[in-house]
Amino acid sequence: MWGGDEVEDPTGGEEEEEPREANHAVPEQAARQAKPETPSKADAQKAKRRLRAKDLEARTLAKKLKEEGQCLIEISADGHCLFSAVSDQLRRVGCKEDHTFKTLRKLAAEYMLNNEVDFKDFLNLEKQSFEAYCRKMERTSIWGGQHELIALSHGLKRNIVVMRHDMNLQHFPDPENYPAYPGDPLRLSYHMHEYTGGEHYNSVVSIEEKLSRNRIRRKLDDAPAGAASAARSLLQKGESKEAALTEDEEEEEEVAGGAS
């Protein structure tokens, strides 16, 4: 995955020792043997470093995005985050096709299979075939990364911009080798420390758009079935700005300040 850094194992790579069989003749000793071992000093230091890195990443990215009038749409950390973030962005730009993480996984896999020479030599396939890798990417929750972003940008004919807390931007496709596709680029954020499960992608939108989405979602809670369906349709089509009512300044400050 883009970024190249790995999340440290909170356990330090060591398996927890199994409790020993209870000694019924000496209950106090058996209780001591069954008691889990306390974390080592090294483990505690690793945990502190992870928390510091996570806090720095979140605060820096939120600050930079706010300066540009942008914020995050949180995407579930379920293994599909890259594809779900792209799906959210396609709704934002008004894509007529209803893309889900499943259809985007299939699109990326098919593009890679049809352009094997552009991908195969850059993947760590170990013992699996290139086709097996692509089918696994299509059908499971294996993480997507740089190669899948390349495939999606070409398959969708959309530019994709990925930003991280240091605001380094990575563009797909590579502008030095390919002409840019027309239209507003899809904007994602890349998180290396925010989630304990590993690297993660979120969707980036304007603060105004996030406010508009929130207003429509609140209306859905109270609206009759027919009106709720219409509002949900507007939200999915990225037309929330026109459908939303003006809200007080407190909510705008809350969204902008809570961009992380």
Side-chain angles (χ1 to χ4, degrees):
M1 187 176 289
W2 174 62
D5 296 322
E6 296 183 356
V7 176
E8 294 177 292
D9 183 352
T11 66
E14 298 181 359
E15 296 184 0
E16 184 178 350
E17 181 181 357
E18 294 183 1
R20 298 174 185 174
E21 183 177 354
N23 185 340
H24 298 289
V26 189
E28 295 85 357
Q29 181 182 359
R32 288 197 299 272
Q33 291 174 341
K35 185 178 179 180
E37 295 182 4
T38 57
S40 67
K41 184 176 180 180
D43 289 338
Q45 291 175 341
K46 287 181 180 180
K48 288 182 179 179
R49 287 197 298 269
R50 285 199 304 273
L51 287 174
R52 285 197 297 268
K54 173 182 177 179
D55 181 61
L56 175 63
E57 180 180 69
R59 286 189 292 105
T60 306
L61 181 57
K63 180 177 181 293
K64 294 292 186 181
L65 287 173
K66 185 178 179 180
E67 290 173 356
E68 298 185 3
Q70 298 177 322
C71 60
L72 300 180
I73 296 294
E74 296 284 346
I75 302 297
S76 296
D78 55 5
H80 304 298
C81 61
L82 183 152
F83 303 97
S84 295
V86 170
S87 174
D88 182 79
Q89 285 289 300
L90 289 170
R91 289 193 295 272
R92 178 185 69 81
V93 300
C95 180
K96 295 181 180 179
E97 297 181 63
D98 184 20
H99 282 292
T100 66
F101 73 83
K102 291 182 179 181
T103 64
L104 291 171
R105 278 187 174 277
K106 181 176 179 60
L107 177 66
E110 292 295 339
Y111 183 89
M112 293 173 72
L113 283 169
N114 292 332
N115 297 272
E116 180 176 343
V117 67
D118 295 328
F119 296 94
K120 183 176 180 179
D121 292 339
F122 301 97
L123 289 167
N124 181 17
L125 297 175
E126 297 181 346
K127 296 182 179 181
Q128 65 180 330
S129 67
F130 179 72
E131 181 178 2
Y133 170 89
C134 293
R135 292 308 178 197
K136 187 175 182 180
M137 184 61 62
E138 176 186 356
R139 298 167 181 169
T140 73
S141 61
I142 184 176
W143 298 347
Q146 179 172 331
H147 305 294
E148 288 68 41
L149 283 167
I150 294 171
L152 287 172
S153 67
H154 289 305
L156 294 167
K157 294 186 175 5
R158 288 275 186 180
N159 300 308
I160 301 176
V161 178
V162 178
M163 62 182 66
R164 51 189 290 167
H165 73 279
D166 57 11
M167 294 311 285
N168 283 336
L169 303 180
Q170 190 163 18
H171 298 263
F172 301 90
D174 184 351
E176 294 185 3
N177 296 314
Y178 297 93
Y181 289 112
D184 192 17
L186 310 182
R187 303 180 186 278
L188 310 183
S189 61
Y190 169 81
H191 305 259
M192 189 163 38
H193 303 289
E194 181 71 14
Y195 298 88
T196 56
E199 300 166 349
H200 184 74
Y201 290 89
N202 280 321
S203 176
V204 176
V205 302
S206 68
I207 293 174
E208 180 182 2
E209 179 171 345
K210 187 169 184 178
L211 286 167
S212 297
R213 292 188 187 194
N214 290 347
R215 293 166 196 150
I216 285 186
R217 288 194 174 94
R218 282 198 300 272
K219 291 180 182 180
L220 291 175
D221 294 336
D222 303 322
S229 178
R232 186 175 293 107
S233 177
L234 286 173
L235 185 63
Q236 292 175 343
K237 292 179 181 178
E239 298 172 2
S240 55
K241 183 185 297 183
E242 291 76 6
L245 296 177
T246 302
E247 199 68 25
D248 61 28
E249 294 180 356
E250 289 186 3
E251 183 190 9
E252 181 173 358
E253 182 63 27
E254 179 182 350
V255 171
S260 61

